[in-house]
Amino acid sequence: MGFATYLAYVAACIAVIIVPGPTVTLIIANSLKHGTRAGLLNVLGTQIGLVVLLAVLAFGLTTLVQNAAAVFDWVRLAGAAYLIWLGIKLWRSDGALGARAAGEAPPKGGFIGQGLLVILANPKALLFIGAFIPQFLDPVRPALPQIALLGATFMVVGTIFDGAYALAAGKAGHWMSRGHVRLIERVSGTFLIAAGLWIALIRR
């Protein structure tokens, strides 16, 4: 593709990614509650999920996934229920979770797994990638190298902006943590419940 086309693609990626969605909501919630590192691990999980979705696109499995509506619905609802459960748990903790977190590091795999689950539980993520990236492919050139380049670009832009959300929320959470543990738990719980409801109400 031409350089101008590539710049247009980068601008489109920024326009799409900068708008908060379920993944950003999760990143903000965990960054507020557990710090920047937790949010960045969420970002890592979402990037792993993007690799999976891009591989599906590259190998032409989009049609198969579109037809597997029942499977996607179950995955979507399971992911939504998990996030809502976490949010309710924070709302009902009365500061206990905050006190526990001060002396015990949350499991690394937990935050990565959350990010992975949220992006894979969102059926629109695959359908969007399947509709968005092909618009910028040059039909006279091999598709796989182009998908690799465009996919990597999408991931870099996503990492930058999602990471910025994590850093900003982590700093806010650190500032609020001085005597505001209960408030942080309620704000984080609200974000998690909102992300769960967002995913639950998504329609393909």
Side-chain angles (χ1 to χ4, degrees), residues 14-76:
I14 294 173
V16 168
I17 292 172
I18 202 171
V19 179
T23 55
V24 170
T25 307
L26 175 72
I27 290 166
I28 291 175
N30 278 327
S31 296
L32 282 171
K33 180 66 179 67
H34 298 285
T36 301
R37 185 169 177 271
L40 292 177
L41 289 174
N42 281 154
V43 174
L44 176 58
T46 61
Q47 294 305 303
I48 294 173
L50 279 176
V51 171
V52 174
L53 297 181
L54 289 167
V56 169
L57 172 63
F59 290 101
L61 300 178
T62 307
T63 302
L64 174 62
V65 176
Q66 286 177 330
N67 293 331
V71 174
F72 253 104
D73 279 341
W74 280 110
V75 172
R76 174 174 58 84

Side-chain angles (χ1 to χ4, degrees), residues 131-152:
F132 178 62
I133 290 182
Q135 296 182 36
F136 294 88
L137 297 179
D138 185 343
V140 302
R141 298 176 182 270
L144 285 180
Q146 295 183 77
I147 291 175
L149 172 63
L150 297 177

Side-chain angles (χ1 to χ4, degrees), residues 74-196:
W74 280 110
V75 172
R76 174 174 58 84
L77 293 175
Y82 172 65
L83 291 179
I84 293 172
W85 175 78
L86 288 178
I88 293 174
K89 189 176 179 182
L90 278 175
W91 262 87
R92 299 179 61 184
S93 68
D94 294 325
L97 292 180
R100 190 182 310 139
E104 179 182 349
K108 299 178 184 178
F111 295 124
I112 295 175
Q114 285 174 7
L116 178 63
L117 175 64
V118 168
I119 194 165
L120 294 183
N122 183 354
K124 282 192 174 180
L126 176 59
L127 300 183
F128 171 77
I129 288 177
F132 178 62
I133 290 182
Q135 296 182 36
F136 294 88
L137 297 179
D138 185 343
V140 302
R141 298 176 182 270
L144 285 180
Q146 295 183 77
I147 291 175
L149 172 63
L150 297 177
T153 301
F154 190 84
M155 292 176 65
V156 168
V157 174
T159 299
I160 291 172
F161 283 93
D162 288 351
Y165 278 118
L167 290 171
K171 287 184 178 180
H174 177 71
W175 176 76
M176 292 171 60
S177 64
R178 301 168 184 174
H180 298 89
V181 173
R182 189 73 188 95
L183 175 61
I184 293 176
E185 288 181 347
R186 289 200 169 186
V187 172
S188 299
T190 300
F191 271 105
L192 289 172
I193 293 172

